[in-house]
Amino acid sequence: FHVIYNKCKRLKFVKRHWHLDCKGKTSLYMKSYSRCFLTSSAQGLLSVHDIVAQKGYDPELPPLPDDIEEENEDSVKIISLVKSQEPLGATIKRDESTGAIVVARIMRGGAADRSGLIHEGDELREVNGVQMEDKTPEEIIPIMAQSQGEVTFKVIPVTGIKEELSANETMLFVRSLFDYNPEEDPAIPCRQAGLGFKRGDVLQIVNQEDDTWWQACRHGDSNSRAGLIPSRQLQERWASMSMVNPSGLRRSFRLGRRGGRSGSVESKRKSQEMGGATQTPTYLEVAPYCRDPKEGRRLVLLVGPSGVGLSEMKRRLLLSDPDHYGVTVPHTTREKRKQEKDGVEYHFVSRQTFEMDIVNHKFLEYGEHRGNYYGTSLESVHKVIGEDKVCLLDVQPHTVQRLHTTEFKPCVVFVKPPSIQELRFSRRKATLISTQDMTKLTKTFSEEDFEDMISSAETMDSQYGHLFEMVVVNGDFAMAFNKLRAELEKLETEAPQWIPVEWTSHTKQNTESLC
Ligand SMILES: Nc1ncnc2c1ncn2[C@@H]1O[C@H](COP(=O)(O)OP(=O)(O)OP(=O)(O)O)[C@@H](O)[C@H]1O
């Protein structure tokens, strides 16, 4: 534009001087310029200049049709849109009471929305001269889809258009806690207008006017056109109808022991282990977050059924980068062995001290195994974070809720078993290798262990899935480990991260004390 503008200015200057010069003797210089003016490109430039100067950017619209009846003149609106291959971005339906075809919904960011000329509730009379009166919405859709270039609509505008439409625009970001595929949803009012997503996707909700169907865009998509998604209310209703029976969660007590030899320990708090399932998984409101270097690194919580490979993942991460990752040192009441050092493998404490610490809620988790207590203290988590390391902790899912705080901003990784066939194959292969290589010890699994692992994972997922930020399927170990490591690296490099909105509020709680 600047190039054209400057050329036009230059030509105008020349034009003026030529005019002056022509009063006297035309110079050779001016003659050559005069020839320039006669070329079509110069004429074109001047005409562009005139259009720009008159600010005539809008496309020329066709004249109004002559057949508009006098009495309808006020109520009928003729809208002419220049349409590309992009859909119009509006849904239509037949009004049950009047039988008229009306605009049911305007999709945010679509062509209709951007034009600002078509509104929800407008009655559609004609499209490119084709009467809509005797047509069904299914017959109209292809007519609309096929029309390209200039499309003329004759509509009866809805009365009382909400002028405050922009006020309804929201900047609400959510993480979806379920998968949604509009193609498989018989309830969606318009399948083509639906937006499919996967659990964990960040969505921007742009319209919540309808109680049952929201409009949203997927964050990071280049396409800014909104699609229909079930509202929170609708999803809650569906989810409550298909609630999974929460029984059958296998209990495994995780102590976050260094060295990855975590054994199964009888928990004293079995009743608590089953509790904690909270909301129906719908949408979690999230906000962008960039870590302040003065803040501690986000805690990484590994969750999964017993035997799925949490200790192994933790151990390998630690080996891969011991300066970046750290693990907690647990407490125990068992006797210290010769080669062990207090505070390295364990904090060795007396039974009396341990029981006092239980009373004082010092432990995140604790349990008893072969007559000895083992426990992971909150203090040990603070210690690792204080060393500016990413603290890796494998815990029972119910413990996640205790750590789901602004202070720890945990990234919860759900390590999931693969299909039973892959589980059999990978674990048996590992056992085979370990029997050949005596330096490696691998647990032997029974068929029942595999079944338990899978059903336990399903129960965990249905009860605590809303807390999981990452899901890693541990089939082939190398692949699963590489995926986990890459995802965890993103926590350091990717900005912003999307965390629950309540973790970003700066309101300090309990800042006042009663004297
Ligand atoms: N992908 C895999 N393929 C083959 N073997 C695996 C895989 N992942 C883990 N294992 C093996 O499975 C066994 C159990 O793994 P691990 O001890 O890490 O499980 P865990 O989740 O910590 O369970 P628990 O809490 O019961 O100790 C180990 O012998 C480990 O080497």
Side-chain angles (χ1 to χ4, degrees), residues 48 61 70 107 111 128 133 142 199 201 231 249 256 287 314 325 341 343-344 356 421 424 426 436 439 460 492 502 511:
V48 168
L61 296 176
E70 267 307 297
M107 303 308 295
N128 278 351
E133 213 174 355
R199 185 166 88 171
D201 283 352
S231 70
L249 182 66
K314 213 170 66 165
Y325 295 109
K341 266 191 178 169
V344 177
M356 275 297 288
Q421 295 85 350
R424 278 187 207 121
S426 56
Q436 287 163 0
T439 57
M460 272 184 192
E492 304 297 317
E502 67 266 20
T511 48

Side-chain angles (χ1 to χ4, degrees), residues 298-483:
R298 292 181 67 189
L299 178 63
V300 171
L301 295 177
L302 299 167
V303 173
S306 179
V308 76
L310 301 186
S311 310
E312 194 60 20
M313 291 276 177
K314 213 170 66 165
R315 192 175 72 85
R316 297 280 188 102
L317 280 171
L318 196 63
L319 281 175
S320 73
D321 194 348
D323 294 332
H324 183 60
Y325 295 109
V327 289
T328 54
V329 177
H331 285 63
T332 184
T333 56
R334 86 151 161 74
E335 280 293 305
K336 186 165 81 63
R337 291 175 192 146
K338 253 195 204 154
Q339 72 283 8
E340 289 175 333
K341 266 191 178 169
D342 189 22
V344 177
E345 289 84 6
Y346 290 98
H347 294 290
F348 295 97
V349 292
S350 68
R351 212 174 162 82
Q352 197 188 2
T353 309
F354 201 105
E355 281 170 356
M356 275 297 288
D357 289 344
I358 294 173
V359 174
N360 292 327
H361 306 287
K362 203 170 158 176
F363 296 113
L364 285 171
E365 286 184 341
Y366 72 93
E368 210 173 351
H369 180 60
R370 292 190 182 158
N372 293 308
Y373 280 125
Y374 294 87
T376 304
S377 71
L378 196 62
E379 205 182 306
S380 64
V381 178
H382 280 132
K383 185 164 183 299
V384 179
I385 294 174
E387 289 164 1
D388 197 27
K389 287 185 177 175
V390 174
C391 179
L392 304 169
L393 198 61
D394 60 317
V395 288
Q396 284 289 327
H398 72 262
T399 307
V400 171
Q401 278 161 328
R402 192 165 160 203
L403 295 163
H404 217 251
T405 61
T406 311
E407 181 193 4
F408 294 117
K409 296 186 180 58
C411 169
V412 186
V413 183
F414 179 45
V415 181
K416 204 177 151 177
S419 67
I420 192 135
Q421 295 85 350
E422 210 186 331
L423 201 50
R424 278 187 207 121
F425 177 76
S426 56
R427 274 38 177 196
R428 285 180 186 157
K429 191 171 126 195
T431 316
L432 209 68
I433 294 169
S434 81
T435 46
Q436 287 163 0
D437 178 355
M438 297 308 284
T439 57
K440 286 182 183 167
L441 278 176
T442 306
K443 188 180 162 183
T444 315
F445 292 93
S446 67
E447 192 60 21
E448 198 197 345
D449 288 332
F450 293 147
E451 281 163 16
D452 271 5
M453 209 191 282
I454 287 176
S455 73
S456 206
E458 281 167 5
T459 314
M460 272 184 192
D461 199 10
S462 70
Q463 282 193 302
Y464 299 96
H466 59 282
L467 300 171
F468 305 157
E469 192 171 323
M470 286 178 202
V471 178
V472 174
V473 180
N474 187 14
D476 175 81
F477 187 83
M479 271 171 67
F481 175 73
N482 287 341
K483 182 184 173 194

Side-chain angles (χ1 to χ4, degrees), residues 3-19 29-30 32-50:
V3 173
I4 292 172
Y5 180 74
N6 287 333
K7 282 198 175 167
C8 288
K9 263 189 8 191
R10 199 168 136 80
L11 280 166
K12 275 212 150 179
F13 169 83
V14 172
K15 215 170 159 184
R16 190 150 42 90
H17 282 261
W18 183 49
H19 178 72
Y29 178 73
M30 283 304 155
S32 74
Y33 265 118
S34 74
R35 269 201 303 276
C36 269
F37 278 120
L38 298 175
T39 63
S40 55
S41 49
Q43 296 287 325
L45 272 177
L46 284 171
S47 119
V48 168
H49 170 267
D50 290 344

